[in-house]
Amino acid sequence: MTKKHRLIIEFCGGFGQGLALLYALRSPDVQVAGIVCRDTQSSLARKLIDFAQPGYEIPIVTGAKQPLFSGTIETTTPEGVRFLTETTQDEESDLTYVTFDRLTTLALAVVSDPLLACKFTRIVVQGGAIRVPGDVTAIAETNMHGDPEAAALVLAARLPLVLVPLDTTSSFRLTEEQVHTLGSLAHAVGLIDRTTMSDMHFAASARALHAWVAMLAALSPEKMRTEQMKLSVECKSDLSRGAVLADLRAKPSVGTDTVVCVEVEMAEAERFLQTVLDQGGV
């Protein structure tokens, strides 16, 4: 009997992330063991669960509210951190953690539980830009830039990490027809409103579903090509803060060995997408 994919998903809302979460919720091969999100997104997570009707209970917990060195001290341990540290492996299925957000919650969980790495088969992180420009600064991607210190801590922890950077996620682009169809589904679920659907900026940004590719890497690791790279995260320089630095020399020596997803099978990504389109949102 084939094992189910057991996922804990961390997301911070939005069109692409919502669709990736919806796919996982509706897939018969996936059990979503928990959702970690920012407190402002818990109602959206509940709405997606109600829409998908997976047939089992899914805990929704809030992650860290602020980056590690934001100047604001959280007086209690975030729910998401406790949830990760209390999670146990299941003999019936592998457990994968997939995050579309900054790495603050994961970093705090690593500090709280030195054995966290033993609980997960894979930890799939959507984030970073290695050979391509960043999306928030010239060289930094949003999630890494959001909390560089947390990202550096997670890399150094030597978790079973798979990084899915912009280099890879940007390779999957939607057609105009697919954007319209998925936009209608997103509107039905409550991810976007009619005004957003008609906005040209939305149409352009929706063409690249970064979270979609990261979800594919989580669910079908055999459909991706990876390389091991030595990576560091820049935390000090104002100009390059949050940049993922890869030592690409013939004999790399600087950074932590990290598995990086460099390519996914586009045919498989299209199949994932077609599954959602065929469902028609109902």
Side-chain angles (χ1 to χ4, degrees):
M1 182 177 177
T2 303
K3 287 185 177 181
K4 272 196 170 187
H5 295 283
R6 188 163 167 250
L7 300 183
I8 296 176
I9 300 170
E10 182 170 2
F11 91 123
C12 55
F15 175 76
Q17 293 187 26
L19 288 175
L21 175 56
L22 183 62
Y23 176 85
L25 291 169
R26 302 191 74 170
S27 173
D29 300 324
V30 175
Q31 179 189 0
V32 178
I35 298 172
V36 181
C37 60
R38 300 184 189 183
D39 53 0
T40 55
Q41 298 298 332
S42 57
S43 60
L44 175 58
R46 176 56 57 193
K47 187 180 296 185
L48 288 167
I49 291 173
D50 292 342
F51 186 86
Q53 298 183 354
Y56 54 89
E57 289 296 318
I58 300 173
I60 301 173
V61 295
T62 55
K65 295 180 180 179
Q66 302 290 339
L68 291 183
F69 298 107
S70 64
T72 301
I73 299 176
E74 296 194 37
T75 56
T76 59
T77 302
E79 287 181 314
V81 174
R82 292 200 303 271
F83 182 75
L84 291 180
T85 57
E86 293 169 2
T87 294
T88 57
Q89 266 287 14
D90 185 340
E91 293 182 1
E92 298 294 322
S93 58
D94 295 330
L95 180 62
T96 298
Y97 185 71
V98 54
T99 173
F100 309 131
D101 202 358
R102 62 175 183 247
L103 300 181
T104 314
T105 301
L106 182 57
L108 290 172
V110 168
V111 172
S112 299
D113 183 2
L115 298 179
L116 190 76
C118 301
K119 297 181 177 181
F120 295 96
T121 305
R122 284 181 305 280
I123 295 177
V124 178
V125 172
Q126 177 209 319
I130 297 174
R131 295 185 176 96
V132 300
D135 62 352
V136 66
T137 71
I139 55 176
E141 178 271 339
T142 300
N143 292 335
M144 299 297 165
H145 186 266
D147 194 343
E149 288 79 11
L153 192 156
V154 167
L155 279 184
R158 299 185 183 278
L159 302 167
L161 198 70
V162 178
L163 185 71
V164 189
L166 286 178
D167 310 49
T168 306
T169 62
S170 298
S171 63
F172 181 59
R173 308 286 292 180
L174 298 178
T175 65
E176 287 188 21
E177 182 179 356
Q178 289 170 333
V179 169
H180 177 76
T181 303
L182 289 175
S184 297
L185 172 57
H187 176 259
V189 178
L191 287 171
I192 57 176
D193 56 28
R194 285 293 178 189
T195 301
T196 305
M197 270 191 72
S198 62
D199 185 70
M200 291 302 293
H201 175 71
F202 159 74
S205 62
R207 289 183 185 277
L209 292 182
H210 303 293
W212 192 267
V213 179
M215 182 61 76
L216 173 62
L219 297 180
S220 298
E222 73 282 359
K223 301 294 184 181
M224 63 181 184
R225 183 170 66 84
T226 62
E227 292 180 9
Q228 185 161 288
M229 301 180 186
K230 285 190 176 293
L231 302 181
S232 308
V233 180
E234 174 58 48
C235 298
K236 297 179 181 179
S237 169
D238 290 337
L239 289 176
S240 56
R241 183 169 169 78
V244 174
L245 308 176
D247 188 344
L248 300 176
R249 294 174 295 182
K251 293 183 178 181
S253 60
V254 179
T256 302
D257 288 330
T258 307
V259 176
V260 179
C261 177
V262 296
E263 185 180 2
V264 296
E265 290 187 11
M266 287 299 108
E268 185 69 5
E270 287 284 355
R271 186 186 69 78
F272 268 42
L273 177 63
Q274 194 59 47
T275 300
V276 173
L277 295 176
D278 290 344
Q279 288 174 344
V282 296

